[in-house]
Amino acid sequence: MDVGVGLFIFSNGIVVKPSAAAFSKKKFQKLLVSCLPLFMLGFSRLVVTKEINYQEHVTEYGVHWNFFITLAVTKMLGTILEGFMKTTDHMKYSALMLLMFHETCLQLGLSSYIMDDNVVRNNLIAANREGIFSVPGYVGLYIGSMYIGTLLKSDGQELLKVREVFYKTLKLSLTSAFCWKMIFVCNSMFGVSRRTANMGYAFWVLAVGGSMLTLFMLTEMFIYYTNFNRPQWQQQAESNNKSQLDEPDFHVPYVPLILQAINYNGLAFFLIANVFTGIVNICFQTMLLGTPASILI
């Protein structure tokens, strides 16, 4: 679940198209409208869970906070900060500086305040300290994901040379390797915590997401640039013994339809998964179940 929520933010960040226009009032209003459904989902989840007395772990995000609110606030702050970044290097260094600032605050006492179960939740900030004070870490993760997304952009080119794709893959793999190295550094110094969304957690998600994308790109190169899987138009032409091939279709889909459906409806599938998880938690006392029953469910 920890890597899942991180990868959801990662998948939102890599598909962001950097805007060349400066941040304006109109752009901010458009951003508010786009984030409104997430705020509504967060508020709806809060109301439903309180009404049905749903079992919750307040140490995850707090008493009133939840992941949908984190996602909405992260998108808002990340988009605002992105409006002041002129180059991709600005994204990289901004993400690093934000994560370093967040980790510094955590080490200066913020982490102890968040993790201390003896702190009374007697006000709105104290009651939701996990969700509120983890936002800078998620924003740093979001901007870092945006930077990784720029490594995959093709500048509007419909067809890329193998050398260009290989160069992008190599650069992405080196970035992923750096993130993996930083995980060990962070873990030895201050650990990895999803509750605080510290630097170690952000690098953990970036390393996993970057490594997965690297494998996907290698697979794509294998499929598109070798003869092991020829396009359908060529196979059909050869089967019909045509001397002249028809116009090739370079948009033959290689991705299974079910994966395309999930890809284009990520939030809907995320909501469905949450609903089914909630049904299981309502029907069973999951904390008391043993390993065989858990695996069966």
Side-chain angles (χ1 to χ4, degrees):
M1 186 178 294
D2 291 339
V3 73
V5 296
L7 287 178
F8 197 87
I9 289 182
F10 177 84
S11 62
N12 277 267
I14 61 174
V15 298
V16 171
K17 184 178 180 180
S19 177
F23 197 80
S24 60
K25 182 179 179 180
K26 184 178 181 180
K27 188 176 180 180
F28 180 72
Q29 292 174 344
K30 185 178 179 180
L31 176 62
L32 283 177
V33 172
S34 65
C35 292
L36 185 60
L38 292 173
F39 282 113
M40 293 178 64
L41 285 172
F43 180 74
S44 300
R45 185 186 186 280
L46 172 63
V47 173
V48 171
T49 53
K50 297 301 181 183
E51 286 294 326
I52 65 175
N53 197 25
Y54 181 74
Q55 51 177 315
E56 293 182 281
H57 300 286
V58 295
T59 56
E60 289 187 356
Y61 295 99
V63 178
H64 311 99
W65 202 277
N66 54 61
F67 178 66
F68 295 109
I69 299 178
T70 293
L71 189 62
V73 175
T74 299
K75 182 178 180 181
M76 283 191 61
L77 296 179
T79 305
I80 292 174
L81 292 176
E82 185 267 332
F84 298 97
M85 301 174 192
K86 304 300 181 182
T87 64
T88 56
D89 286 338
H90 289 170
M91 294 183 185
K92 176 173 61 177
Y93 295 125
S94 296
L96 288 173
M97 291 177 62
L98 184 56
L99 291 175
M100 291 173 61
F101 171 77
H102 180 53
E103 189 59 49
T104 301
C105 293
L106 291 173
Q107 296 305 310
L108 290 178
L110 183 59
S111 179
S112 300
Y113 171 71
I114 296 174
M115 307 292 283
D116 190 357
D117 294 332
N118 295 323
V119 176
V120 182
R121 301 177 184 270
N122 55 359
N123 57 67
L124 193 61
I125 295 178
N128 302 283
R129 56 183 184 270
E130 292 89 354
I132 294 174
F133 294 113
S134 64
V135 167
Y138 282 112
V139 174
L141 169 61
Y142 184 75
I143 297 176
S145 303
M146 291 171 58
Y147 169 73
I148 290 181
T150 61
L151 302 180
L152 310 177
K153 297 296 188 296
S154 59
D155 300 326
Q157 301 180 53
E158 188 171 352
L159 296 176
L160 296 176
K161 296 181 180 178
V162 179
R163 181 175 58 187
E164 296 176 6
V165 178
F166 181 79
Y167 176 74
K168 291 178 179 293
T169 306
L170 179 61
K171 194 171 182 180
L172 180 60
S173 63
L174 292 176
T175 303
S176 302
F178 169 77
C179 292
W180 282 113
K181 175 62 178 178
M182 288 301 299
I183 292 176
F184 291 99
V185 174
C186 294
N187 189 51
S188 63
M189 295 178 63
F190 37 75
V192 176
S193 173
R194 204 281 310 156
R195 282 179 65 183
T196 61
N198 66 352
M199 181 184 291
Y201 175 75
F203 277 117
W204 177 34
V205 176
L206 291 173
V208 173
S211 300
M212 291 172 63
L213 287 177
T214 301
L215 293 175
F216 293 156
M217 294 183 72
L218 290 173
T219 304
E220 188 171 6
M221 282 194 295
F222 177 81
I223 292 177
Y224 280 91
Y225 298 116
T226 65
N227 293 323
F228 290 98
N229 193 351
R230 291 166 298 175
Q232 292 180 1
W233 61 270
Q234 186 177 357
Q235 295 178 7
Q236 182 180 4
E238 291 178 356
S239 63
N240 296 334
N241 296 321
K242 291 183 178 180
S243 58
Q244 298 292 331
L245 297 180
D246 295 333
E247 183 69 22
D249 181 12
F250 291 104
H251 299 282
V252 178
Y254 289 95
V255 182
L257 182 61
I258 183 63
L259 295 185
Q260 292 187 47
I262 295 175
N263 185 44
Y264 284 106
N265 302 278
L267 184 59
F269 276 87
F270 186 80
L271 286 172
I272 292 173
N274 271 264
V275 169
F276 278 105
T277 302
I279 293 175
V280 171
N281 288 332
I282 292 174
C283 296
F284 302 95
Q285 290 183 304
T286 54
M287 299 295 292
L288 303 179
L289 292 176
T291 301
S294 301
I295 294 177
L296 179 62
I297 293 175

